[in-house]
Amino acid sequence: PMAYTSESARIQLLDELAAAVDQLAIALASLGEAYEEVDEGTAVVLEQQLFRPVQGAYGRARRTHAEFARRHQLPARTFAPGSPGVHSADPRVHLERAIAAIEQADHVVAEMQDSMLPVEVGDRELRDGLTETRELIASAPVHGRQLLRTIGR
């Protein structure tokens, strides 16, 4: 029956979006670690070009997840802070980890959009949330790589 299919599609979308949120949480934690290890000038760039957009995307994705769950009477989820992984005094280690997590989050959301499930379940708010999340982090990997090239040189 259609009802079951729609519900399972919605649950799948929530799970996938949660995976993207978790990746963004890892990115934020890793960027926080990198921030502690860089000079003041680099820290300003890191905050403006990476931390703020990723934080915005993280908030947007979490809100999209919570509102979608609420609209469809599905269980909400509490998200734990991300782990930055093993500590390193080399900020590049954390920056590389953050870039990988941002790209993974973007990949997950892109696949959700490409799957047509957000269209099939007929939820414009979800589609808008996914689009905005991706727009917020679109340039972060490029900025991250530029920063990687300048750190420790």
Side-chain angles (χ1 to χ4, degrees), residues 5-17 68 74-75:
T5 310
S6 293
E7 173 137 355
S8 62
R10 287 183 183 115
I11 291 168
Q12 182 185 334
L13 286 166
L14 276 174
D15 289 347
E16 289 170 1
L17 184 51
F68 183 70
L74 294 166

Side-chain angles (χ1 to χ4, degrees), residues 72-88:
H72 299 289
Q73 287 86 49
L74 294 166
R77 193 183 136 182
T78 36
F79 290 96
S83 164
V86 179
H87 179 72
S88 170

Side-chain angles (χ1 to χ4, degrees), residues 77-128:
R77 193 183 136 182
T78 36
F79 290 96
S83 164
V86 179
H87 179 72
S88 170
D90 183 351
R92 287 174 297 195
V93 171
H94 296 291
L95 200 48
E96 283 167 2
R97 225 176 260 152
I99 293 166
I102 294 163
E103 289 179 329
Q104 183 57 34
D106 184 63
H107 176 73
V108 169
V109 176
E111 290 212 324
M112 290 174 71
Q113 291 175 315
D114 292 346
S115 75
M116 296 306 290
L117 277 183
V119 174
E120 285 165 24
V121 298
D123 196 303
R124 166 159 292 290
E125 290 92 342
L126 173 70
R127 294 197 301 272
D128 291 347

Side-chain angles (χ1 to χ4, degrees), residues 1-46:
M2 186 61 193
Y4 171 76
T5 310
S6 293
E7 173 137 355
S8 62
R10 287 183 183 115
I11 291 168
Q12 182 185 334
L13 286 166
L14 276 174
D15 289 347
E16 289 170 1
L17 184 51
V21 171
D22 288 339
Q23 288 298 313
L24 292 171
I26 291 167
L28 285 174
S30 300
L31 290 170
E33 289 285 315
Y35 184 89
E36 297 301 319
E37 301 295 335
V38 295
D39 63 71
E40 210 173 313
T42 305
V44 169
V45 174
L46 190 146

Side-chain angles (χ1 to χ4, degrees), residues 128-145:
D128 291 347
L130 296 178
T131 299
E132 286 171 31
T133 297
R134 287 192 72 201
E135 285 170 354
L136 284 162
I137 56 172
S139 60
V142 171
H143 289 308
R145 287 197 183 84

